Amino acid sequence: RKEVEQDPGPFNVPEGATVAFNCTYSNSASQSFFWYRQDCRKEPKLLMSVYSSGNEDGRFTAQLNRASQYISLLIRDSKLSDSATYLCVVALKSSYDKVIFGPGTSLSVIP
Amino acid sequence: DTGVSQDPRHKITKRGQNVTFRCDPISEHNRLYWYRQTLGQGPEFLTYFQNEAQLEKSRLLSDRFSAERPKGSFSTLEIQRTEQGDSAMYLCASSSYAGGPETQYFGPGTRLLVL
């Protein structure tokens, strides 16, 4: 089993749709969780950290379920500019001492 | 531009040759990371430095790979006797670590093609 798994994608959704990405991790000692965004042929950029209580940033909501070892990202009212690959990232300690990126899920928002 | 820079952006080499990549992190960032990314996959951790100390190396980093950060600023990643399987994007990231989770800032990457 891979250490971090994500929905295989790609997701093709119309503008304005709500889309959810799922991520599971295998190591219960994982402590830090993030979502990164990577545009085509560009470097990854941090989208948001994921906190135990869940957190929201505008149209983006991240949730963490430690018992199920599951992380989610919800995008509401999707925009064309949201088209990218979304990477789930898990770190073993409360730092980046061992960082594992998931394979990513590709999103295309269609006019 | 005060972001992370990498040089070269693209490198084509023949199998068996040595290549060296450079990463200049954001000024005063104490941590520097190297990753490798292949098409359709997320970045794979290779190694990282805190200041000039190399704190961890992935088992992916064979003895053909070596990384240095001699003065705690820029870093180099060298691949000796390149193989076709080394073809990938090599990403560098830096962060300011102060004991808790920190944001990594990635450079644009060096795309390596081994013929």
Side-chain angles (χ1 to χ4, degrees), chain A residues 11-45:
Chain A
F11 285 17
N12 299 309
V13 303
E15 269 187 290
T18 295
V19 59
F21 301 117
N22 301 309
C23 171
T24 57
Y25 59 95
S26 60
N27 193 325
S28 58
S30 302
Q31 291 193 4
S32 300
F33 310 91
F34 309 86
W35 284 101
Y36 273 70
R37 170 195 169 127
Q38 186 171 25
D39 293 297
C40 188
R41 305 186 78 83
K42 297 284 189 181
E43 70 274 20
K45 292 184 179 178

Short mmCIF file of all heavy atoms in Angstrom, two decimals, chain A residues 11-45:
data_model
loop_
_atom_site.label_atom_id
_atom_site.label_comp_id
_atom_site.label_asym_id
_atom_site.label_seq_id
_atom_site.Cartn_x
_atom_site.Cartn_y
_atom_site.Cartn_z
N PHE A 11 -10.58 14.85 -12.68
CA PHE A 11 -11.92 15.35 -12.45
C PHE A 11 -12.20 16.46 -13.47
O PHE A 11 -11.41 17.38 -13.60
CB PHE A 11 -12.04 15.95 -11.03
CG PHE A 11 -12.11 14.94 -9.92
CD1 PHE A 11 -11.72 13.62 -10.11
CD2 PHE A 11 -12.56 15.31 -8.67
CE1 PHE A 11 -11.78 12.69 -9.08
CE2 PHE A 11 -12.62 14.39 -7.63
CZ PHE A 11 -12.24 13.09 -7.83
N ASN A 12 -13.28 16.31 -14.18
CA ASN A 12 -13.70 17.34 -15.13
C ASN A 12 -15.06 17.85 -14.66
O ASN A 12 -16.03 17.09 -14.63
CB ASN A 12 -13.82 16.77 -16.54
CG ASN A 12 -12.49 16.24 -17.05
OD1 ASN A 12 -11.49 16.92 -17.01
ND2 ASN A 12 -12.49 15.00 -17.53
N VAL A 13 -15.11 19.11 -14.25
CA VAL A 13 -16.34 19.65 -13.68
C VAL A 13 -16.69 20.97 -14.34
O VAL A 13 -15.81 21.69 -14.81
CB VAL A 13 -16.22 19.85 -12.15
CG1 VAL A 13 -15.84 18.54 -11.46
CG2 VAL A 13 -15.24 20.94 -11.81
N PRO A 14 -17.98 21.34 -14.39
CA PRO A 14 -18.36 22.63 -14.95
C PRO A 14 -18.08 23.75 -13.95
O PRO A 14 -18.03 23.52 -12.73
CB PRO A 14 -19.85 22.47 -15.22
CG PRO A 14 -20.29 21.45 -14.22
CD PRO A 14 -19.14 20.52 -14.01
N GLU A 15 -17.92 24.93 -14.46
CA GLU A 15 -17.77 26.11 -13.58
C GLU A 15 -18.93 26.16 -12.59
O GLU A 15 -20.07 25.88 -12.94
CB GLU A 15 -17.83 27.39 -14.42
CG GLU A 15 -16.52 27.87 -14.93
CD GLU A 15 -16.65 29.23 -15.61
OE1 GLU A 15 -17.24 29.28 -16.70
OE2 GLU A 15 -16.17 30.21 -15.02
N GLY A 16 -18.60 26.53 -11.37
CA GLY A 16 -19.64 26.66 -10.36
C GLY A 16 -19.91 25.39 -9.58
O GLY A 16 -20.61 25.42 -8.56
N ALA A 17 -19.37 24.29 -10.04
CA ALA A 17 -19.61 23.01 -9.34
C ALA A 17 -18.82 22.95 -8.04
O ALA A 17 -17.85 23.69 -7.84
CB ALA A 17 -19.21 21.86 -10.25
N THR A 18 -19.24 22.04 -7.19
CA THR A 18 -18.50 21.72 -5.97
C THR A 18 -17.77 20.41 -6.22
O THR A 18 -18.35 19.45 -6.72
CB THR A 18 -19.45 21.58 -4.78
OG1 THR A 18 -20.05 22.86 -4.52
CG2 THR A 18 -18.69 21.13 -3.54
N VAL A 19 -16.50 20.38 -5.87
CA VAL A 19 -15.71 19.17 -6.10
C VAL A 19 -14.96 18.82 -4.82
O VAL A 19 -14.51 19.71 -4.09
CB VAL A 19 -14.75 19.37 -7.29
CG1 VAL A 19 -13.80 20.52 -7.06
CG2 VAL A 19 -13.99 18.10 -7.60
N ALA A 20 -14.86 17.53 -4.55
CA ALA A 20 -14.19 17.05 -3.34
C ALA A 20 -13.06 16.11 -3.71
O ALA A 20 -13.25 15.21 -4.54
CB ALA A 20 -15.19 16.34 -2.43
N PHE A 21 -11.92 16.30 -3.08
CA PHE A 21 -10.78 15.42 -3.26
C PHE A 21 -10.53 14.66 -1.96
O PHE A 21 -10.62 15.23 -0.88
CB PHE A 21 -9.51 16.22 -3.59
CG PHE A 21 -9.61 17.05 -4.82
CD1 PHE A 21 -9.52 18.42 -4.77
CD2 PHE A 21 -9.82 16.44 -6.05
CE1 PHE A 21 -9.62 19.18 -5.91
CE2 PHE A 21 -9.92 17.21 -7.20
CZ PHE A 21 -9.82 18.58 -7.13
N ASN A 22 -10.20 13.41 -2.11
CA ASN A 22 -9.95 12.56 -0.96
C ASN A 22 -8.51 12.07 -0.94
O ASN A 22 -7.92 11.84 -2.00
CB ASN A 22 -10.90 11.36 -0.98
CG ASN A 22 -12.34 11.78 -0.96
OD1 ASN A 22 -12.75 12.58 -0.13
ND2 ASN A 22 -13.11 11.27 -1.90
N CYS A 23 -8.02 11.88 0.26
CA CYS A 23 -6.64 11.43 0.44
C CYS A 23 -6.60 10.54 1.67
O CYS A 23 -7.21 10.85 2.70
CB CYS A 23 -5.74 12.66 0.63
SG CYS A 23 -4.04 12.30 1.10
N THR A 24 -5.90 9.42 1.57
CA THR A 24 -5.70 8.56 2.74
C THR A 24 -4.21 8.36 2.95
O THR A 24 -3.42 8.39 2.00
CB THR A 24 -6.37 7.20 2.56
OG1 THR A 24 -5.87 6.58 1.38
CG2 THR A 24 -7.88 7.33 2.47
N TYR A 25 -3.83 8.17 4.20
CA TYR A 25 -2.42 7.95 4.53
C TYR A 25 -2.31 6.72 5.41
O TYR A 25 -3.22 6.39 6.16
CB TYR A 25 -1.81 9.18 5.18
CG TYR A 25 -2.47 9.63 6.47
CD1 TYR A 25 -2.00 9.22 7.71
CD2 TYR A 25 -3.57 10.48 6.43
CE1 TYR A 25 -2.60 9.64 8.88
CE2 TYR A 25 -4.19 10.90 7.61
CZ TYR A 25 -3.70 10.48 8.83
OH TYR A 25 -4.31 10.89 9.99
N SER A 26 -1.17 6.08 5.34
CA SER A 26 -1.04 4.77 6.00
C SER A 26 -0.36 4.85 7.37
O SER A 26 -0.57 3.96 8.19
CB SER A 26 -0.25 3.81 5.10
OG SER A 26 1.04 4.32 4.85
N ASN A 27 0.43 5.88 7.60
CA ASN A 27 1.18 5.93 8.85
C ASN A 27 0.44 6.73 9.90
O ASN A 27 0.28 7.94 9.78
CB ASN A 27 2.56 6.54 8.59
CG ASN A 27 3.51 6.34 9.77
OD1 ASN A 27 3.09 6.35 10.93
ND2 ASN A 27 4.77 6.13 9.47
N SER A 28 -0.01 6.05 10.94
CA SER A 28 -0.82 6.71 11.98
C SER A 28 0.00 7.71 12.79
O SER A 28 -0.57 8.50 13.53
CB SER A 28 -1.42 5.66 12.92
OG SER A 28 -0.39 4.88 13.52
N ALA A 29 1.34 7.68 12.63
CA ALA A 29 2.19 8.64 13.35
C ALA A 29 2.25 9.98 12.64
O ALA A 29 2.87 10.93 13.13
CB ALA A 29 3.59 8.07 13.53
N SER A 30 1.64 10.09 11.48
CA SER A 30 1.67 11.35 10.73
C SER A 30 1.04 12.45 11.55
O SER A 30 0.04 12.24 12.24
CB SER A 30 0.90 11.19 9.42
OG SER A 30 1.46 10.16 8.64
N GLN A 31 1.65 13.63 11.46
CA GLN A 31 1.19 14.72 12.33
C GLN A 31 0.82 16.00 11.59
O GLN A 31 0.07 16.80 12.12
CB GLN A 31 2.29 15.05 13.35
CG GLN A 31 2.50 13.96 14.38
CD GLN A 31 3.36 14.43 15.54
OE1 GLN A 31 3.73 15.60 15.61
NE2 GLN A 31 3.67 13.54 16.43
N SER A 32 1.38 16.20 10.43
CA SER A 32 1.10 17.44 9.71
C SER A 32 0.56 17.11 8.33
O SER A 32 1.03 16.18 7.68
CB SER A 32 2.37 18.28 9.58
OG SER A 32 2.88 18.61 10.86
N PHE A 33 -0.40 17.92 7.92
CA PHE A 33 -1.11 17.61 6.68
C PHE A 33 -1.33 18.90 5.89
O PHE A 33 -1.62 19.95 6.47
CB PHE A 33 -2.46 16.96 6.99
CG PHE A 33 -2.35 15.81 7.97
CD1 PHE A 33 -2.47 16.03 9.33
CD2 PHE A 33 -2.09 14.53 7.52
CE1 PHE A 33 -2.34 14.99 10.24
CE2 PHE A 33 -1.96 13.47 8.42
CZ PHE A 33 -2.07 13.71 9.76
N PHE A 34 -1.17 18.79 4.58
CA PHE A 34 -1.25 19.98 3.74
C PHE A 34 -1.90 19.61 2.41
O PHE A 34 -1.84 18.46 1.97
CB PHE A 34 0.16 20.53 3.45
CG PHE A 34 1.00 20.74 4.68
CD1 PHE A 34 1.75 19.69 5.20
CD2 PHE A 34 1.05 21.95 5.33
CE1 PHE A 34 2.53 19.86 6.34
CE2 PHE A 34 1.82 22.14 6.46
CZ PHE A 34 2.56 21.09 6.97
N TRP A 35 -2.45 20.60 1.76
CA TRP A 35 -2.81 20.50 0.36
C TRP A 35 -1.97 21.49 -0.43
O TRP A 35 -1.88 22.67 -0.06
CB TRP A 35 -4.30 20.80 0.15
CG TRP A 35 -5.21 19.69 0.56
CD1 TRP A 35 -5.93 19.60 1.70
CD2 TRP A 35 -5.50 18.51 -0.19
NE1 TRP A 35 -6.64 18.43 1.73
CE2 TRP A 35 -6.40 17.73 0.57
CE3 TRP A 35 -5.10 18.02 -1.44
CZ2 TRP A 35 -6.91 16.51 0.13
CZ3 TRP A 35 -5.60 16.81 -1.87
CH2 TRP A 35 -6.49 16.07 -1.10
N TYR A 36 -1.35 20.99 -1.48
CA TYR A 36 -0.60 21.82 -2.41
C TYR A 36 -1.31 21.80 -3.75
O TYR A 36 -1.99 20.85 -4.10
CB TYR A 36 0.83 21.28 -2.61
CG TYR A 36 1.84 21.79 -1.61
CD1 TYR A 36 1.78 21.37 -0.28
CD2 TYR A 36 2.84 22.65 -1.98
CE1 TYR A 36 2.71 21.82 0.64
CE2 TYR A 36 3.79 23.11 -1.07
CZ TYR A 36 3.71 22.69 0.23
OH TYR A 36 4.64 23.14 1.15
N ARG A 37 -1.07 22.85 -4.51
CA ARG A 37 -1.61 22.95 -5.86
C ARG A 37 -0.43 23.03 -6.81
O ARG A 37 0.56 23.73 -6.54
CB ARG A 37 -2.46 24.22 -5.94
CG ARG A 37 -2.87 24.58 -7.34
CD ARG A 37 -3.38 25.99 -7.44
NE ARG A 37 -3.52 26.34 -8.84
CZ ARG A 37 -4.62 26.82 -9.39
NH1 ARG A 37 -5.69 27.04 -8.63
NH2 ARG A 37 -4.66 27.09 -10.66
N GLN A 38 -0.53 22.31 -7.94
CA GLN A 38 0.52 22.35 -8.94
C GLN A 38 -0.09 22.57 -10.31
O GLN A 38 -0.85 21.73 -10.80
CB GLN A 38 1.37 21.07 -8.93
CG GLN A 38 2.58 21.13 -9.85
CD GLN A 38 3.52 19.96 -9.66
OE1 GLN A 38 3.14 18.88 -9.23
NE2 GLN A 38 4.81 20.15 -10.00
N ASP A 39 0.22 23.71 -10.90
CA ASP A 39 -0.23 23.98 -12.27
C ASP A 39 0.68 23.23 -13.24
O ASP A 39 1.82 22.89 -12.92
CB ASP A 39 -0.20 25.48 -12.54
CG ASP A 39 -1.25 26.21 -11.72
OD1 ASP A 39 -2.45 25.93 -11.92
OD2 ASP A 39 -0.88 27.01 -10.87
N CYS A 40 0.16 23.02 -14.44
CA CYS A 40 0.89 22.25 -15.45
C CYS A 40 2.29 22.81 -15.68
O CYS A 40 2.45 24.01 -15.96
CB CYS A 40 0.08 22.23 -16.75
SG CYS A 40 0.76 21.12 -17.99
N ARG A 41 3.29 21.96 -15.53
CA ARG A 41 4.68 22.30 -15.77
C ARG A 41 5.19 23.42 -14.86
O ARG A 41 6.13 24.15 -15.21
CB ARG A 41 4.90 22.67 -17.24
CG ARG A 41 4.43 21.59 -18.20
CD ARG A 41 4.77 21.90 -19.63
NE ARG A 41 6.17 21.63 -19.93
CZ ARG A 41 6.65 20.45 -20.24
NH1 ARG A 41 5.88 19.38 -20.24
NH2 ARG A 41 7.94 20.30 -20.50
N LYS A 42 4.54 23.56 -13.71
CA LYS A 42 4.99 24.55 -12.73
C LYS A 42 5.33 23.84 -11.42
O LYS A 42 5.06 22.66 -11.26
CB LYS A 42 3.88 25.57 -12.46
CG LYS A 42 3.49 26.38 -13.67
CD LYS A 42 4.53 27.43 -13.97
CE LYS A 42 4.02 28.39 -15.05
NZ LYS A 42 5.04 29.42 -15.37
N GLU A 43 5.89 24.59 -10.47
CA GLU A 43 6.22 23.99 -9.19
C GLU A 43 5.00 23.95 -8.28
O GLU A 43 4.07 24.74 -8.42
CB GLU A 43 7.35 24.79 -8.52
CG GLU A 43 6.97 26.17 -8.03
CD GLU A 43 7.10 27.24 -9.11
OE1 GLU A 43 7.11 26.89 -10.31
OE2 GLU A 43 7.16 28.42 -8.72
N PRO A 44 4.99 23.03 -7.29
CA PRO A 44 3.90 22.99 -6.32
C PRO A 44 3.89 24.24 -5.45
O PRO A 44 4.95 24.79 -5.12
CB PRO A 44 4.21 21.75 -5.48
CG PRO A 44 5.21 20.97 -6.25
CD PRO A 44 5.98 21.96 -7.06
N LYS A 45 2.69 24.66 -5.07
CA LYS A 45 2.56 25.79 -4.15
C LYS A 45 1.56 25.42 -3.06
O LYS A 45 0.53 24.79 -3.34
CB LYS A 45 2.09 27.05 -4.90
CG LYS A 45 3.13 27.59 -5.86
CD LYS A 45 2.69 28.88 -6.50
CE LYS A 45 3.79 29.39 -7.44
NZ LYS A 45 3.38 30.63 -8.14
#
